[in-house]
């Protein structure tokens, strides 16, 4: 069933829960990996994913289909993740701990990370980017989304996204050249 | 150390794009159930309170704004009728041009009372002083030397 049919089903009286469960079933996995690449930890990703769908449930009756359902869900997930990262950074600042070191340690200690050394160094390099730049880089490099789609999700101009990706790319390239 | 590593090179990109993360077994099924349960719980919660909450919030907001405005107008009055307290803590009531100090139950007149009442008597009553009244006043209050001096000036 495509997104349009799911939305039509959602608007039928008494079928909201059923339709929404189908939406969750269809999109949860892809959204999970998008969030996971932003925040790294499985537990945090799980919380953010659940919040994303709870927010979507509240806002779906007002969804006017100006964008695709998946883009809309992606936007909610990205915003939730960016808010989470901002809070984490602020929390570590207030507790006077080194945020970048904390993120690095998180990846080292993650029992759900199964990559080799190159992938580990690559992930660590991505974690040095600012949250928004990280989101741009992930969506472009991993998910291979078009700049227009990223622009719709992040509400940023295509030009600014290209510049952001270029800077992120150069920074990661430099880190990898030194570390691999 | 390799210095020519390029993340856009197809072989490298393919390797780096591989997902290095794992999830616990059966995670995606369990998270769907968790989300579904949370949403069902939220739907059941839509009762009296869910409807009444925003309305009560609006009422409290109006009450707060009213109390705030009421307090502000009491502290900083804009008209001529207001109350204040002096250093000793006794209440002072000022009503228009008639100033009355109410201290421990007694009314006291001050210079301000006299000043305002004088202005009132001069501006509100249009009394003419006759020449006889003036002469009577001068003869009672001005001494001879002053009067003789006035004669010389004329």
């Amino acid at each position: 069933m495509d997104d349009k049919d799911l939305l039509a089903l959602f608007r039928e009286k008494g079928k909201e829960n059923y339709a929404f469960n189908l939406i969750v079933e269809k999109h949860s996995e892809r959204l999970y990996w998008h969030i996971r690449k932003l925040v790294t930890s499985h537990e945090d990703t799980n919380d953010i994913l659940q919040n994303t769908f709870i927010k979507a449930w509240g806002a779906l009756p007002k969804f006017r289909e100006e964008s695709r359902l998946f883009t809309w869900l992606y936007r909610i997930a990205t915003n939730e993740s960016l808010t989470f990262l901002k809070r984490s950074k602020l929390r570590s600042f207030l507790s006077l701990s080194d945020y970048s070191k904390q993120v690095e340690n998180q990846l080292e200690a993650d029992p759900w990370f199964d990559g080799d050394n190159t992938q580990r160094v690559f992930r660590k390099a991505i974690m040095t980017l600012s949250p928004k730049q990280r989101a741009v880089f992930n969506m472009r490099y991993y998910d291979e989304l078009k700049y227009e789609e990223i622009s719709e999700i992040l509400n940023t101009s295509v030009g600014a996204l290209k510049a952001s990706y270029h800077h992120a790319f150069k920074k990661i390239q430099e880190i990898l050249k030194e570390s691999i | 150390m390799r210095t020519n590593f390029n993340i856009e090179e197809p072989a490298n990109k393919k390797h780096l794009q591989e997902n290095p993360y794992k999830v616990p077994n059966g995670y995606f099924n369990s998270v769907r159930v968790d989300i579904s349960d949370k949403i069902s719980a939220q739907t059941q919660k839509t009762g009296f309170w869910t409807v009444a909450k925003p309305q009560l919030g609006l009422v409290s907001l109006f009450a707060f704004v009213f109390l705030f405005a009421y307090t502000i107008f009491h502290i900083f009055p804009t008209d001529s009728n207001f109350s204040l307290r002096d250093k000793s803590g006794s209440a002072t009531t000022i009503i228009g041009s008639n100033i009355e100090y109410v201290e421990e139950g007694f009314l006291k007149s001050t210079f301000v009372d006299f000043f305002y009442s004088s202005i009132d008597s001069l501006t509100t009553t249009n009394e003419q002083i006759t020449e006889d009244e003036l002469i009577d006043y001068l003869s009672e209050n001005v001494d001879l030397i002053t009067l003789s001096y006035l004669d010389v000036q004329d």
Side-chain angles (χ1 to χ4, degrees):
Chain A
M1 204 181 275
D2 70 7
D3 286 347
K4 276 196 184 272
D5 295 335
L6 286 172
L7 285 169
L9 190 66
F10 181 82
R11 288 191 179 112
E12 278 179 41
K13 213 174 177 186
K15 291 190 177 170
E16 301 93 343
N17 277 44
Y18 172 65
F20 196 76
N21 282 341
L22 292 178
I23 291 171
V24 172
E25 207 173 311
K26 188 177 176 189
H27 295 293
S28 56
E29 197 164 339
R30 198 170 166 195
L31 284 177
Y32 173 89
W33 292 119
H34 170 62
I35 299 166
R36 181 80 187 267
K37 280 172 202 146
L38 281 170
V39 303
T40 304
S41 139
H42 165 70
E43 285 73 24
D44 296 334
T45 307
N46 181 40
D47 291 342
I48 296 168
L49 183 72
Q50 294 194 24
N51 284 344
T52 300
F53 279 114
I54 287 164
K55 286 207 169 164
W57 167 258
L60 201 56
K62 293 173 200 158
F63 179 56
R64 286 174 293 172
E65 293 186 59
E66 284 166 356
S67 57
R68 288 187 302 148
L69 178 65
F70 184 68
T71 313
W72 182 71
L73 289 171
Y74 231 82
R75 192 186 305 152
I76 301 174
T78 309
N79 286 340
E80 285 290 303
S81 307
L82 293 180
T83 307
F84 170 84
L85 290 169
K86 253 186 225 167
R87 279 190 193 152
S88 306
K89 200 168 185 177
L90 193 67
R91 209 174 293 128
S92 78
F93 173 76
L94 292 175
S95 63
L96 302 171
S97 55
D98 186 350
Y99 180 68
S100 54
K101 203 85 191 156
Q102 209 175 309
V103 170
E104 208 178 301
N105 291 341
Q106 199 178 26
L107 193 68
E108 289 289 345
D110 189 355
W112 303 107
F113 185 85
D114 198 25
D116 60 16
N117 187 47
T118 312
Q119 286 170 328
R120 190 180 296 274
V121 172
F122 184 57
R123 289 307 314 168
K124 276 187 191 173
I126 292 171
M127 299 309 273
T128 62
L129 303 173
S130 72
K132 198 168 177 182
Q133 208 172 21
R134 198 186 306 171
V136 175
F137 185 82
N138 283 349
M139 283 190 258
R140 184 79 190 131
Y141 192 83
Y142 282 111
D143 306 333
E144 296 185 332
L145 294 181
K146 291 176 188 159
Y147 281 116
E148 286 74 19
E149 287 175 303
I150 304 172
S151 165
E152 214 177 304
I153 292 163
L154 291 177
N155 203 19
T156 310
S157 71
V158 170
L161 290 173
K162 281 182 181 172
S164 179
Y165 181 78
H166 178 73
H167 287 301
F169 177 84
K170 271 182 81 175
K171 191 176 180 183
I172 290 167
Q173 191 69 62
E174 285 301 312
I175 293 170
L176 288 179
K177 270 182 186 173
E178 284 168 19
S179 314
I180 296 175
Chain B
M1 189 187 286
R2 249 162 56 192
T3 53
N4 57 350
F5 189 87
N6 186 345
I7 61 169
E8 282 292 352
E9 195 182 290
N12 290 339
K13 191 169 181 175
K14 197 181 172 195
H15 177 59
L16 293 173
Q17 276 181 329
E18 278 169 18
N19 189 1
Y21 297 111
K22 291 186 300 180
V23 288
N25 281 337
Y27 167 72
F28 289 110
N29 286 330
S30 72
V31 79
R32 281 165 201 152
V33 173
D34 288 348
I35 292 167
S36 180
D37 288 349
K38 280 189 180 176
I39 282 162
S40 301
Q42 252 194 3
T43 316
Q44 281 164 6
K45 257 193 254 173
T46 314
F48 171 74
W49 275 112
T50 320
V51 179
K53 243 185 192 175
Q55 289 172 14
L56 279 173
L58 199 67
V59 169
S60 350
L61 183 74
F62 274 115
F64 174 76
V65 169
F66 173 76
L67 278 174
F68 184 73
Y70 184 79
T71 314
I72 292 292
F73 281 117
H74 257 255
I75 296 169
F76 307 108
T78 51
D79 63 2
S80 55
N81 296 339
F82 62 93
S83 300
L84 52 89
R85 281 186 175 272
D86 63 17
K87 278 178 189 170
S88 62
S90 45
T92 303
T93 310
I94 303 169
I95 304 162
S97 58
N98 301 317
I99 301 166
E100 294 163 353
Y101 281 77
V102 184
E103 287 182 13
E104 297 164 358
F106 295 97
L107 285 174
K108 277 188 178 178
S109 294
T110 64
F111 172 73
V112 180
D113 288 335
F114 171 74
F115 177 69
Y116 276 109
S117 61
S118 310
I119 291 173
D120 283 353
S121 65
L122 286 174
T123 52
T124 53
T125 57
N126 202 11
E127 283 178 5
Q128 291 289 325
I129 300 165
T130 61
E131 199 176 340
D132 291 338
E133 280 174 338
L134 183 65
I135 290 166
D136 285 346
Y137 176 80
L138 287 173
S139 59
E140 276 174 30
N141 294 289
V142 183
D143 59 1
L144 276 170
I145 297 162
T146 312
L147 284 171
S148 59
Y149 177 75
L150 286 170
D151 281 339
V152 172
Q153 290 287 310
D154 289 337

